[in-house]
Amino acid sequence: MSIGVDCVRRYIQSMKSTSASLFHSLLEVALVFFRLGLTSFGGPVAHMGYFHREFVQRRSWLTERDFADWMAMCQFLPGPASSQLGMVVGRLRAGLPGALVAWLAFTLPSAFLLMALAAWHGSSASFMPQGLVQGLKWVAVAVVAQALWSMGRTSFHRPLHMALAAIVALISAVSGAVWVQLA
């Protein structure tokens, strides 16, 4: 429970800002999340990998510990964890408006790209080549694997943790049973 309390305490300390710096922070949040929204493919796990690289490694908006704590909190809550984590980062950077800006800037580009692709696909007599679709699937697998590898290196510090993660991954890959989700 102290993990969540520490996150909230650090958040409250970070909320001291002026209106001018708030505007700059909102603009920065909008630009970063818009770029991520245009380029981040591969699903929620991959999104978290992109967020880790951008906000921990590149921009230092979050520490490794803060990122891991917030990611755990978002995965615990119902709903899309990557969207929740993005809103947390936006809120930490620019308050409640930052959360809204982060969500809109990250979500809308992908939504518009998908709608445009659907409209093009539905209106054209041709279909998307199967090889292209298969290639995109493999790219998504590679992106997710890279995200997992990157976050795993910073999250698992003991051999026991690595072994447990490997066992769970193996069981998840082999079994399609519902109980695996609970485990």
Side-chain angles (χ1 to χ4, degrees), residues 146-171:
Q146 190 278 332
L148 289 171
W149 179 260
S150 175
M151 287 187 292
R153 285 184 309 166
T154 59
S155 298
F156 302 130
H157 301 289
R158 297 187 179 143
L160 176 63
H161 295 156
M162 288 184 259
L164 286 172
I167 290 168
V168 170
L170 181 63
I171 292 171

Side-chain angles (χ1 to χ4, degrees), residues 32 34 37 39-40 54 56 58 65 69 76 85 96-98 103 108-109 118 136-138 148 151 166 170-171 181:
V32 171
F34 183 74
T39 59
S40 298
E54 187 69 33
V56 175
R58 185 166 176 227
R65 180 176 175 201
D69 289 349
F76 176 73
L85 183 59
L96 191 56
W103 181 75
L108 291 181
L136 289 173
K137 288 179 184 178
W138 281 109
L148 289 171
M151 287 187 292
L170 181 63
I171 292 171
Q181 295 297 320

Side-chain angles (χ1 to χ4, degrees), residues 20-161:
S21 66
L22 178 62
F23 173 77
H24 292 290
S25 296
L26 280 172
L27 183 61
E28 186 178 30
V29 166
L31 292 174
V32 171
F33 275 97
F34 183 74
R35 183 180 54 77
L36 286 169
L38 286 174
T39 59
S40 298
F41 299 99
V45 174
H47 295 164
M48 289 191 191
Y50 290 120
F51 290 171
H52 181 267
R53 184 173 42 243
E54 187 69 33
F55 302 124
V56 175
Q57 295 174 346
R58 185 166 176 227
R59 296 183 180 275
S60 299
W61 287 5
L62 296 170
T63 65
E64 289 285 349
R65 180 176 175 201
D66 287 341
F67 184 84
D69 289 349
W70 283 114
M71 185 172 67
M73 181 87 67
C74 291
Q75 289 178 330
F76 176 73
L77 298 171
S82 61
S83 295
Q84 293 167 350
L85 183 59
M87 289 186 283
V88 164
V89 172
R91 183 159 182 167
L92 290 172
R93 193 71 181 167
L96 191 56
L100 181 62
V101 166
W103 181 75
L104 289 171
F106 185 71
T107 305
L108 291 181
S110 299
F112 287 136
L113 285 172
L114 284 173
M115 287 188 294
L117 182 61
W120 169 79
H121 182 66
S123 67
S124 69
S126 66
F127 59 93
M128 194 173 297
Q130 186 61 28
L132 178 63
V133 173
Q134 189 64 31
L136 289 173
K137 288 179 184 178
W138 281 109
V139 168
V141 168
V143 166
V144 169
Q146 190 278 332
L148 289 171
W149 179 260
S150 175
M151 287 187 292
R153 285 184 309 166
T154 59
S155 298
F156 302 130
H157 301 289
R158 297 187 179 143
L160 176 63
H161 295 156

